[in-house]
Amino acid sequence: MWTYRKTWQRPGRWGAAGFTLLELLVVLVIIGLLVGYVAPRFFSQVGKSEVKVARAQIKALEDALDQYRLDIGRYPSTEQGLPALNAQPAGETRWAGPYLKKAVPIDPWGHPYQYRLPGEHGEFDLFSLGKDGQPGGTGEAADIGNW
């Protein structure tokens, strides 16, 4: 006697459909290949975005320093540093801050921004030491600054 069976069902005790171990392994191999191809490209973009964030933060800090200079008549000294943008330095009567809405940010790699007055590259130097936190370097470890 011939019986009609749906083509997607496999013969079994209850006639239930499912995946074989081989099919699951093939799918896992395909997913692994895709991750191996996409992940390096994705993570290289993360490094580029950290550099862009650092440049944007430096630009925002430069704008705050310029506003400080307009009010006080000069940039904060190296000793006063970037905290002078949020807290009034002793003896500064014309301070009209805070010049930042939040605390002075740290760079995307967790290091404080470096501030120097007078600067070697301009009136002041404002820079990040990059991913390695050391002067110099290349790629993500390169210094990023207002020069």
Side-chain angles (χ1 to χ4, degrees), residues 66-76 80 88-89 92-97 99:
D66 288 339
Q67 186 63 44
Y68 180 98
R69 180 179 173 210
L70 287 173
D71 290 345
I72 305 295
R74 60 177 176 74
Y75 291 111
Q80 291 171 327
Q88 183 173 359
E92 295 293 350
T93 57
R94 298 187 321 186
W95 190 84
Y99 298 97

Side-chain angles (χ1 to χ4, degrees), residues 25-68:
L25 288 175
V26 168
V27 169
L28 288 175
V29 167
I30 291 171
I31 290 173
L33 290 172
L34 288 173
V35 168
Y37 179 74
V38 172
R41 295 175 189 269
F42 173 75
F43 287 115
S44 70
Q45 296 300 319
V46 170
K48 290 178 185 176
S49 67
E50 288 172 334
V51 170
K52 288 179 183 178
V53 167
R55 288 196 176 141
Q57 286 178 335
I58 287 172
K59 176 66 175 134
L61 289 169
E62 284 179 337
D63 293 343
L65 286 165
D66 288 339
Q67 186 63 44
Y68 180 98

Side-chain angles (χ1 to χ4, degrees), residues 58 107 112-116 121 125-130 135 143-147:
I58 287 172
D107 72 13
Y113 284 102
Q114 306 295 309
Y115 173 74
R116 189 170 41 213
H121 304 282
D125 288 344
L126 178 61
F127 57 97
S128 166
L129 295 173
D143 297 347
I144 303 164
N146 63 338
W147 48 77

Side-chain angles (χ1 to χ4, degrees), residues 79-89 95 104:
E79 294 77 29
Q80 291 171 327
L82 297 175
L85 299 174
N86 280 342
Q88 183 173 359
W95 190 84
V104 176

